[in-house]
Structures are given as structure tokens and as C-alpha cells.
Amino acid sequence: MKIYTEEIALSTSNRFELVDITSRVEEAVRKSGVRNGVCLVFAPHATAAIIANEHERGLVEDMVDLIRELFRPDAAWRHNRIDDNAHAHLASALIGAGRVFPVLEGRLVRGTWQNIFLVEMDGPRARRKVIVEVMGE
Ligand code: ZN
């Protein structure tokens, strides 16, 4: 079995932001040489998440609105006594810091309307990273 790992480095410029990393993940799958297996996309961060969905401007803004509504950045969370980002920790924990995709015939399998995003919820950050690990034959 082959295991190929790549680290995608990126920065964010807003408190909330969706960064489309689809082409960079697909590039990693190409470079891996794996024909059939799985691709793990994982953000090693407690205040960001990984999702797969449509890259359409209105929907991207809807996602941010929903995250704000559900996780209420201005609420009196206990963690905000020592930090100001409880909402981002809670959202990261519930949405999830990683996603797994199939790899078939050398290509990442995703729906036409499933782009891959890092969801920034405590930006701006100069250094965010996403680990892409491709495993298979
Ligand atoms: Zn914190």
C-alpha cells in the first residue's frame, strides 16, 4: 500500500471564511500515484473545519450565517473568559476537522457540487494548514 502525505499551507483574511482547496487536494491525489484508495483531508486546528459542498457565492455566505446563528460568537460561553473564540471551538468540534473521499482510477471522487473547503471561524490567520493523506494501491 502506498501512503502519500502533503501539507497545504494557506492564510485567511477574515474572521469567517471558506477557502476552496479542491484543486490543491486533487493535485495531491495526482502526485500520490494512488489509483484506488482513500484521501483524508484533515485540518489540525481546533477552530477550523473541513466541509464538501457547492462553491456558490450566496451559499458560501449562507454557511457563514448558519455557523454564526448556531454557534453564537457573542454568547456568554465559558471559554470566552480566557479567549474570544468559543464559537469556533464548538463549531470545529461539531462540523469536524476532517473528511474522507474515495479515490478511484487515480481521481478524487466527489459530486459535481462538492468542492472542498477549509472553514475558517477564528481568522484572520497567517498560518493555517490542511494535511492531505492519500492511501491505497
Ligand atoms: Zn480558544
Side-chain angles (χ1 to χ4, degrees):
M1 188 178 79
K2 274 183 218 168
I3 300 180
Y4 173 86
T5 306
E6 188 170 312
E7 188 175 305
I8 295 173
L10 54 92
S11 61
T12 59
S13 42
N14 298 293
R15 190 166 200 207
F16 292 90
E17 187 175 337
L18 271 68
V19 182
D20 192 326
I21 56 171
T22 311
S23 60
R24 297 174 77 177
V25 174
E26 290 185 334
E27 178 63 26
V29 171
R30 269 193 296 277
K31 279 196 258 171
S32 75
V34 170
R35 297 287 301 159
N36 294 291
V38 292
C39 174
L40 167 68
V41 181
F42 178 75
H45 300 294
T47 56
I50 299 291
I51 63 168
N53 217 283
E54 184 174 1
H55 192 162
E56 186 273 326
R57 198 194 314 167
L59 187 60
V60 164
E61 290 165 357
D62 290 340
M63 291 276 185
V64 171
D65 285 352
L66 179 63
I67 291 166
R68 283 182 198 275
E69 274 177 39
L70 289 176
F71 298 99
R72 300 165 25 230
D74 297 327
W77 300 113
R78 292 170 189 83
H79 182 66
N80 288 344
R81 292 176 202 153
I82 58 160
D83 208 349
D84 65 350
N85 60 2
H87 70 280
H89 287 281
L90 297 169
S92 173
L94 268 71
I95 298 168
R99 289 286 192 271
V100 178
F101 300 85
V103 174
L104 280 178
E105 304 301 330
R107 296 188 58 191
L108 183 89
V109 178
R110 61 185 178 90
T112 308
W113 311 116
Q114 282 181 315
N115 278 29
I116 305 168
F117 296 89
L118 172 99
V119 184
E120 174 63 80
M121 297 176 290
D122 190 32
R125 297 290 186 105
R127 273 185 291 279
R128 286 295 202 188
K129 61 186 177 186
V130 177
I131 308 297
V132 179
E133 191 156 294
V134 190
M135 293 154 277
E137 303 294 336

